[in-house]
Amino acid sequence: MSAATVSPSIPTAGAAAPRPGRALRIVAWLSFLAEVVIIGTGGAVRLTGSGLGCSQWPLCTPESLVPTPELGIHGLIEFGNRTMTGVVGLLALAVLVLTLLHARARRQLATVGWFALGGVVLAGAAMAATRSFVVAVAVALVAVIAAAVVTIRRVRERRDLLVLGWLVLIGIVAQGLVGGITVLTGLNPFIVGFHYASSVVLVTLTAAYLVRMYDVPGPRERAVPAWFAILTHVTTLALAVTIAFGVLTTGNGPHSGDADVIRTGFDATVLAHVHSWPGYILLALVVVLTAGAAVLRLRPLPWLVALLGVIAVQVVVGIVQARNGLPELLVGIHMVLAALSAAAFTVVVLRLKRPVA
């Protein structure tokens, strides 16, 4: 229900909440775009065989933080993707700070600062004691989670945005940890696949933040028939299964990230067919949802149309790449479109409800 249709005599739950400032809106959009871009750069690492372009982590080589000329283009590509991790981290931190300001919780900024300082000190101590950067990052991750719990419990306004902001920041720190483990394990295909799936989750979280940022805060009610909501959640499962089999298929194809990486041992040709089955089911379900939303004029319709377009392109790209020996560019496009499909579907799910008057 839009604000224009609410009677002045009936207050909405979020009527007194200030509109998100321009800075928050811009940074939130940049955070979403950066999460999509890092999937593209991560795909470039894998598709160009640059997964071990930097042999160490967090250093690129045992003696250098940045790639040396001897590493060539592979070192530059791998280091470029690592640099993007810093970009998405800074943007996520900026979103969190601006969210606290938007929620009128300036005092919690000091709490975040103290936890950050404590996390750095403890991580440094862990590094000195264990000589393991993985352990140090794990300690820092615990500090971030603790700061999230404390601040969320103390803030009352726009807690929905605060939770999403913290989840993104926690996910990015965790992704740094997983990325390091990926390099240290020599690009284990299962860890590489988990790394990509986690990146898709971060894309959906930043998309959810954008949706909630523009929505009226407060209680919400279902805005669609029960059967439509149930079918939408079934479609969520179909999308998740499609992406999971896509990750498994890529892990057994020719693009493992490095020529010497041993793949998981499954038949990539069989997996390609298995991956297509939930994909076609997903397409059919989205067609049904789009038709139902069009007939009943439901809130998710515009985003269902967008999702249908993305999935249709995905199907075409998947067929063309499978019939042409999996060219790198098409595989990379397929990976990015999968993330955009997940983002669009996140909006569809959130549009199943509307603010309560």
Side-chain angles (χ1 to χ4, degrees), residues 23-184:
L24 176 55
R25 297 197 304 271
I26 291 174
V27 175
W29 273 103
L30 289 176
S31 180
F32 168 75
L33 293 174
E35 292 292 352
V36 175
V37 169
I38 201 171
I39 285 181
T41 60
V45 169
R46 183 166 189 166
L47 298 170
T48 58
S50 304
L52 296 177
C54 288
S55 61
Q56 303 295 314
W57 183 85
L59 300 178
C60 188
T61 70
E63 298 82 21
S64 174
L65 173 64
V66 299
T68 58
E70 293 77 14
L71 297 177
I73 187 65
H74 294 306
L76 290 174
I77 293 174
E78 163 66 6
F79 188 76
N81 185 56
R82 293 187 183 189
T83 303
M84 272 303 300
T85 302
V87 173
V88 296
L90 289 174
L91 286 170
L93 182 59
V95 169
L96 179 64
V97 170
L98 291 171
T99 301
L100 286 169
L101 293 175
H102 173 61
R104 303 167 184 169
R106 292 178 180 270
R107 292 183 179 180
Q108 298 310 314
L109 292 175
T111 302
V112 173
W114 281 114
F115 270 101
L117 178 61
V120 170
V121 172
L122 291 175
M127 180 70 180
T130 65
R131 302 290 182 179
S132 171
F133 200 81
V134 171
V135 174
V137 175
V139 171
L141 178 60
V142 172
V144 174
I145 294 173
V149 172
V150 171
T151 55
I152 290 171
R153 292 184 58 163
R154 292 179 178 177
V155 175
R156 292 291 177 262
E157 290 188 29
R158 295 318 313 252
R159 186 177 284 179
D160 55 341
L161 295 182
L162 189 59
V163 169
L164 289 169
W166 272 118
L167 286 176
V168 171
L169 189 59
I170 290 170
I172 291 170
V173 176
Q175 278 287 71
L177 180 61
V178 174
I181 295 174
T182 300
V183 174
L184 297 178

Side-chain angles (χ1 to χ4, degrees), residues 276-331:
S276 68
W277 299 339
Y280 291 131
I281 293 173
L282 172 65
L283 177 61
L285 288 171
V286 173
V287 168
V288 172
L289 288 172
T290 305
V295 171
L296 300 176
R297 298 182 181 180
L298 301 177
R299 294 183 83 229
L301 178 59
W303 285 97
L304 279 168
V305 172
L307 176 63
L308 186 59
V310 174
I311 293 176
V313 174
Q314 272 287 69
V315 171
V316 173
V317 171
I319 293 174
V320 173
Q321 71 174 10
R323 293 182 177 180
N324 290 274
L326 301 178
E328 289 83 356
L329 179 60
L330 288 181
V331 175

